[in-house]
Amino acid sequence: PVEKEDRVMHPGVLEAFRNLQSRDEGVIRYMYRDSNENVTTGIGFLMRTVDQVDRYRWVNRAGTSVSNAIARAQWQQVHDQVRDRSDVLIHPDELGSAFERAARTLEGQLRRAFPMWPLFPADAQLGMLIHAYAFGGDRDNLIAHHPNYYQACRRRDWLRAREEVIWRVLREAGPQHERRVRRRNALRRLFDNAHRVWEGTLLGGEYAFGRLYYPGLAPR
């Protein structure tokens, strides 16, 4: 369980994070191979090894529990491209708890990478979690693979972060890639809001760091 003092994510961020990821990743209860050929289920839950099947409970299409041995066998078939998707489904009760565990793990990584994380605007926290869900929030990984984005967040240069957070497939997405365009627009709105909150506070405005403005636009 997550200790109370570790809950430094601003109110509303976790719920908005799950809603956005569910919208953009989809909620898929069977096992399938994603675009990177990783076996995946739920809200983008990666299962790179068969042992990760044991993290979840599984049911058949009638809703009856099935053994992990059966789920493991189907993971292997999906992994080996014997089948495109599993017949077993992740238990619906696992979706919320598994997503929160993943989100809290990412938050822990981001707190270690960015000591000022608790004081980052709520919109920045949400945008950074979306990026971390795609690439991880480990400091060494961010420095190695996303150095400009990492430095922008460290300096709280949210306008620079607004551009650096957009990874290649989002940047190159055209109108036919509706979900990617939607995610790109969401990330830019989030970091624009973070900039408005940060700049407004420095200028003496009454902005609340803990208020999530997205999907709206923070006032100037």
Side-chain angles (χ1 to χ4, degrees), residues 3-9 104-118 125 128 137:
E3 295 298 328
K4 184 176 180 181
E5 58 267 27
D6 287 336
R7 294 184 180 273
V8 296
M9 202 183 295
R104 295 297 180 185
T105 297
L106 291 175
E107 182 183 28
Q109 293 176 350
L110 290 168
R111 287 184 67 190
R112 289 188 289 274
F114 303 99
M116 296 300 289
W117 167 263
Q125 287 189 348
M128 293 170 74

Side-chain angles (χ1 to χ4, degrees), residues 107-199:
E107 182 183 28
Q109 293 176 350
L110 290 168
R111 287 184 67 190
R112 289 188 289 274
F114 303 99
M116 296 300 289
W117 167 263
L119 298 180
F120 284 175
D123 287 82
Q125 287 189 348
L126 179 52
M128 293 170 74
L129 283 164
I130 292 170
H131 182 274
Y133 206 81
F135 298 103
D138 178 74
R139 176 179 178 273
D140 292 339
N141 177 66
L142 288 171
I143 291 172
H145 300 289
H146 309 271
N148 294 333
Y149 167 72
Y150 171 75
Q151 291 298 338
C153 292
R154 277 202 66 189
R155 293 194 298 267
R156 287 174 274 192
D157 183 349
W158 304 121
L159 283 183
R160 178 72 182 275
R162 181 183 65 183
E163 300 310 314
E164 298 294 344
V165 72
I166 308 300
W167 56 92
R168 183 178 57 83
V169 294
L170 299 188
R171 185 173 293 111
E172 295 176 355
Q176 71 274 25
H177 302 114
E178 183 180 350
R179 288 196 302 176
R180 293 176 183 176
V181 171
R182 198 165 54 204
R183 178 170 286 186
R184 180 176 68 202
N185 292 341
L187 285 167
R188 285 180 170 156
R189 169 62 59 90
L190 286 164
F191 284 98
D192 191 32
N193 280 348
H195 167 71
R196 287 169 175 240
V197 169
W198 182 244
E199 183 181 57

